[in-house]
Amino acid sequence: MDLRGIRVLDLTRLLPGPYATQLFADLGADVVKVEDAGTGDYARHMPPRTDEGVGAVFDAVNRGKRSVGLDLKSEGGREALAALVEEADVVFEQFRPGVAERLGADYETVREHNPEVVYCSLTGYGQTGPEAQRAGHDLNYVGRAGLLDMTRPETHAPPVMPGYQVADLAGGLFAAFAIASALLAREHTGEGTYVDVGMTDVVLSFSQALAPQALAGDDPRPRETPLTGAYPWYDVYEAKDGNYVTFAALEPPFWAAFCEAVEREDLRSLHGTEDEAELAALREALADTFLTRTREEWVEAFRDVDGTVDGVYTPGEAVEHPQFVERGMVERGDGSPRLGFPAVVDRPGSGEWVPGHGEHTDEVLSEAGLSAERLAALRDAGAIR
């Protein structure tokens, strides 16, 4: 998985798009981050901050990229962008629909300079539909797509905000997949393409286990479907030390292994029951059982038993866990610790640096053919940083 030689022109900001382009940088692509000449990516300034004073989120998803500062509202900034587009394989933007066109960075304009470019627009609701112009963030998107409703601990309880930005990261991941697919297609056809990714669409596509019921007109309710807590053999239980464990014995062999391991063979026949009284009694029995050991005692007890029991960990515990450390998911280089690429593959990797705002403007635009004199003139005009 070596993308050296691929140049991604990244006009995105905050988390979704930069996460996608970080995956490309991790695979060796030359990611040129085009930032506003004034404030740059908002994530640079958002708390919490690293010891170097950079926003921690910015630090996490912008390593190894090169930063160019352009004022796309100016004629000179659009001139510089056009020069960059000619050398790009991918142009990736995250503006609200219509903004890229006003900035002269839309697909039709870009395609005039580079007809083979792969162009991706990542937005909350997509480029079309009645909600296309609606402003939003991750919480809005998971609410619209049905995910937030299914987080309720009980049917009539308030929804619970997910601990991770599901829509942002899912949207970024799917955008990366779509871009990589378009690059592969270009190898066969020689033609570029336009990709429109809406983060709400991606989250809705995650509802595959609930969609058949929803499409049939039977609206799924939290705690009433097999994977949201309807069954006691697929749920979360409190352990002796106040921590929690996950139990996911959907298949009979896993249930049988669990019953044998906890010496509750009397419960084996209850797997799959639909009787309300039996379900309630089984849930109570399991709750009492899990209260007899600490979280780590349960994790160790089922290390070599296929009983589908594991622990619920905090993010801090997770990043220190040997499983993720051994898999290379936690990288501790010269800079701040970071999460690694989520697949074990041979890859060149990205650099360790976090680019300063406009740090590579002269370098990248010189590569695109702009002279030192022209760069000086553009900088004097405020078109570049």
Side-chain angles (χ1 to χ4, degrees):
M1 299 177 71
D2 189 341
L3 294 184
R4 282 177 291 191
I6 296 295
R7 174 171 287 186
V8 179
L9 206 57
D10 179 9
L11 281 68
T12 69
R13 60 184 68 173
L14 296 174
L15 182 58
Y19 174 67
T21 55
Q22 182 64 68
L23 297 175
F24 280 95
D26 286 341
L27 295 176
D30 177 17
V31 178
V32 176
K33 185 175 181 67
V34 178
E35 302 185 63
D36 176 74
T39 59
D41 188 335
Y42 306 145
R44 286 186 177 275
H45 318 290
M46 293 172 59
R49 293 181 173 85
T50 66
D51 293 340
E52 290 74 29
V54 178
V57 170
F58 183 90
D59 181 278
V61 292
N62 286 287
R63 290 177 182 266
K65 303 177 185 180
R66 298 194 288 172
S67 172
V68 173
L70 302 182
D71 178 8
L72 296 181
K73 296 179 181 179
S74 70
E75 183 177 346
R78 290 192 291 272
E79 173 196 339
L81 180 67
L84 294 178
V85 163
E86 291 180 2
E87 303 298 322
D89 296 285
V90 177
V91 174
F92 187 15
E93 61 93 2
Q94 194 184 305
F95 301 115
R96 196 183 300 193
V99 173
E101 184 176 2
R102 293 199 296 271
L103 296 175
D106 59 294
Y107 177 55
E108 293 304 323
T109 302
V110 165
R111 195 166 179 268
E112 292 176 3
H113 299 283
N114 185 347
E116 296 182 0
V117 74
V118 170
Y119 188 107
C120 181
S121 296
L122 175 63
T123 56
Y125 301 97
Q127 300 292 308
T128 58
E131 310 301 333
Q133 289 294 333
R134 183 183 291 272
H137 278 298
D138 187 273
L139 187 61
N140 305 117
Y141 309 146
V142 297
R144 172 70 66 175
L147 171 62
L148 191 62
D149 180 72
M150 296 302 290
T151 66
R152 302 172 192 266
E154 301 293 341
T155 302
H156 299 293
V160 178
M161 287 191 290
Y164 292 165
Q165 285 66 48
V166 178
D168 286 353
L169 296 171
L173 182 61
F174 194 85
F177 166 75
I179 291 169
S181 299
L183 287 171
L184 179 60
R186 189 180 69 173
E187 292 297 308
H188 297 290
T189 66
E191 299 178 357
T193 192
Y194 176 72
V195 179
D196 167 11
V197 178
M199 287 179 262
T200 48
D201 295 343
V202 180
V203 177
L204 183 62
S205 78
F206 284 2
S207 68
Q208 301 295 342
L210 302 176
Q213 184 177 340
L215 292 168
D218 182 13
D219 206 6
R221 304 309 304 136
R223 303 294 295 179
E224 295 180 7
T225 68
L227 300 182
T228 62
Y231 297 136
W233 48 84
Y234 192 91
D235 212 337
V236 177
Y237 291 94
E238 187 175 1
K240 183 179 180 180
D241 57 354
N243 287 308
Y244 289 84
V245 295
T246 54
F247 181 41
L250 287 174
E251 296 87 352
F254 291 150
W255 174 251
F258 172 80
C259 291
E260 180 179 355
V262 299
E263 299 180 348
R264 289 301 305 267
E265 293 287 347
D266 57 307
L267 301 179
R268 184 182 293 203
S269 63
L270 295 178
H271 189 268
T273 183
E274 296 288 344
D275 183 271
E276 291 296 332
E278 290 182 338
L279 287 170
L282 180 55
R283 193 181 300 277
E284 183 177 354
L286 290 172
D288 291 342
T289 297
F290 280 110
L291 283 171
T292 62
R293 302 182 190 180
T294 68
R295 179 188 67 181
E296 291 310 305
E297 287 172 341
W298 281 114
V299 171
E300 288 305 313
F302 282 86
R303 183 172 299 282
D304 299 315
V305 177
D306 288 341
T308 57
V309 174
D310 204 348
V312 175
Y313 295 93
T314 68
E317 290 174 321
V319 297
E320 297 295 338
H321 196 282
Q323 174 68 19
F324 296 118
V325 174
E326 183 172 326
R327 295 276 296 173
M329 277 303 298
V330 178
E331 298 179 354
R332 300 183 185 277
D334 296 333
S336 303
R338 59 163 295 188
L339 296 182
F341 190 78
V344 179
V345 294
D346 290 332
R347 59 185 179 87
S350 58
E352 285 296 313
W353 71 87
V354 176
H357 184 193
E359 177 182 349
H360 304 95
T361 299
D362 286 3
E363 176 184 308
V364 174
L365 290 178
S366 294
E367 293 172 0
L370 274 67
S371 67
E373 292 76 13
R374 186 55 185 155
L375 291 175
L378 290 173
R379 182 165 283 109
D380 289 342
I384 65 174
R385 181 184 179 93

